[in-house]
């Protein structure tokens, strides 16, 4: 016997359908804003745009934008998290092409370095402009955004450790975090290449991360 205080089953189903429809519509609105922002970033090669530009490109209202996002910063953060997630999957796919766990780490380090380097032709301002600013102003948000990437590097470190290819007593998560941060900092700190300065290569970064500088 049902509890008199409970909603009738038909009403619960109606409410669930209504909520599901509302959620789907909200997700579609969010995606249109994200697609519009990504298109503008690709065209301009910068994150220097206004909320009104996003609204106009998405063909939605300003009110709708602020129902989904607190402001431009939150929109950029959503794009940054999405970009890091896609980068993690790209690195994972490239690394799995190697059977040796250390080689998988090498591929991951070198590809992460290349993806993080300032490259005007690649138009990746989320990594080269927005990320360094975010690191200073919102470190907690940076940590959350990098979670998929850190999980991937930790997984690769665990594989290498399981085969006895890391130093004894190494904490995979801590080493993964230090490696990831070192690679991205070196990449994002690199200045423009010129004739008098030989740029740091992905191979050099890998050798430093995997071997350090002290004699064995």
């Amino acid at each position: 016997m049902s509890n008199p205080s409970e909603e009738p089953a038909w009403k619960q189903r109606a409410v669930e359908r209504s909520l599901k429809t509302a959620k789907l519509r909200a997700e579609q609105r969010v995606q249109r804003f994200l697609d519009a922002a990504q298109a503008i970033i690709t065209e301009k090669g910068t994150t220097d745009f206004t909320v009104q530009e996003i609204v106009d490109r998405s063909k939605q209202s300003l009110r709708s934008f602020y129902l989904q996002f607190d402001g431009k910063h939150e929109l950029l953060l959503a794009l940054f998290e999405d970009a890091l997630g896609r980068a993690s999957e790209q690195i994972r796919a490239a690394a799995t092409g190697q059977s040796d766990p250390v080689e998988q780490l090498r591929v991951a380090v070198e590809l992460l370095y290349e993806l993080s380097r300032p490259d005007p032709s690649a138009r990746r301002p989320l990594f080269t402009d927005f990320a360094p600013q975010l690191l200073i102003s919102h470190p907690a948000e940076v940590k959350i955004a990098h979670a998929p990437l850190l999980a991937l590097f930790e997984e690769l470190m665990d594989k290498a450790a399981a085969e006895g290819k890391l130093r004894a007593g190494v904490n995979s998560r801590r080493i993964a975090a230090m490696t990831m941060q070192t690679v991205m900092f070196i990449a994002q700190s690199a200045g423009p290449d010129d004739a008098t300065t030989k740029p740091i290569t992905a191979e050099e970064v890998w050798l430093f991360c995997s071997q350090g500088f002290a004699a064995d």
Side-chain angles (χ1 to χ4, degrees):
M1 186 173 181
S2 63
N3 189 326
S5 64
E6 291 181 355
E7 292 282 3
W10 66 265
K11 185 176 289 187
Q12 292 180 22
R13 290 194 298 270
V15 170
E16 287 171 2
R17 279 195 296 270
S18 177
L19 291 174
K20 185 176 181 180
T21 300
K23 180 183 178 184
L24 178 60
R25 288 175 179 169
E27 289 174 349
Q28 290 171 341
R29 286 194 294 269
V30 167
Q31 192 59 53
R32 285 199 291 271
F33 284 126
L34 294 177
D35 290 344
Q38 188 60 63
I40 291 173
I41 289 173
T42 301
E43 290 172 8
K44 288 189 170 185
T46 176
T47 57
D48 185 18
F49 55 82
T50 66
V51 169
Q52 190 61 53
E53 287 180 272
I54 300 299
V55 169
D56 293 342
R57 176 65 68 95
S58 69
K59 301 186 185 306
Q60 300 185 94
S61 68
L62 193 62
R63 178 178 179 276
S64 181
F65 177 87
Y66 283 108
L67 283 174
Q68 315 304 326
F69 301 100
D70 285 341
K72 178 182 172 181
H73 172 82
E74 190 174 2
L75 172 68
L76 287 174
L77 180 60
L79 285 171
F80 181 57
E81 289 183 10
D82 184 60
L84 279 175
R86 285 185 282 105
S88 298
E89 290 307 310
Q90 183 181 349
I91 293 170
R92 180 186 295 279
T96 53
Q98 304 292 327
S99 57
D100 181 78
V102 173
E103 280 300 296
Q104 289 184 345
L105 277 167
R106 179 188 63 77
V107 169
V109 164
E110 292 186 358
L111 183 51
L112 176 61
Y113 178 74
E114 294 296 349
L115 289 173
S116 303
R117 288 189 66 193
D119 183 356
S121 64
R123 294 178 179 267
R124 295 193 296 260
L126 284 171
F127 286 94
T128 57
D129 299 339
F130 180 66
Q133 298 170 17
L134 190 66
L135 182 61
I136 297 171
S137 61
H138 296 78
E141 292 177 350
V142 171
K143 184 176 181 180
I144 293 171
H146 283 84
L149 196 56
L150 176 58
L152 171 59
F153 271 82
E154 184 180 1
E155 177 186 323
L156 296 178
M157 289 290 179
D158 282 337
K159 285 183 182 179
E163 294 197 17
K165 297 192 174 182
L166 296 185
R167 287 185 288 105
V170 159
N171 182 303
S172 294
R173 185 172 182 80
R174 293 174 70 84
I175 292 296
M178 286 190 286
T179 299
M180 185 184 77
Q181 291 166 12
T182 298
V183 172
M184 297 184 79
F185 180 82
I186 293 173
Q188 292 167 358
S189 300
D193 301 341
D194 58 47
T196 61
T197 304
K198 183 179 179 181
I200 297 174
T201 65
E203 181 182 7
E204 286 179 291
V205 174
W206 162 245
L207 289 174
F208 176 76
C209 290
S210 61
Q211 299 179 20
F213 54 84
D216 187 2

